[in-house]
Amino acid sequence: MNVKHTPTNITHKGQKGGTTGCGTNTNVHSDHWVNTNEKITCDKNGCKN
């Protein structure tokens, strides 16, 4: 499962209620995050590889 940051439209590796592959905490402004099956678009280490 991946998680999308709706204000930026960037999809990260991880899931809502935790930490993304690149280390972003999805509990901060949790209403900005949605679980998705979309392809990862974040190019930071941890998400892209």
Side-chain angles (χ1 to χ4, degrees), residues 2-48:
N2 297 327
V3 64
K4 184 175 190 175
H5 188 239
T6 53
T8 60
N9 260 350
I10 296 175
T11 304
H12 299 264
K13 181 179 183 180
Q15 62 187 13
K16 187 173 177 172
T19 305
T20 65
C22 62
T24 305
N25 184 348
T26 64
N27 292 313
V28 177
H29 300 294
S30 63
D31 57 328
H32 290 180
W33 297 93
V34 292
N35 286 323
T36 182
N37 289 322
E38 293 179 24
K39 183 181 175 195
I40 295 169
T41 56
C42 176
D43 60 0
K44 294 180 183 174
N45 284 339
C47 280
K48 70 176 181 177

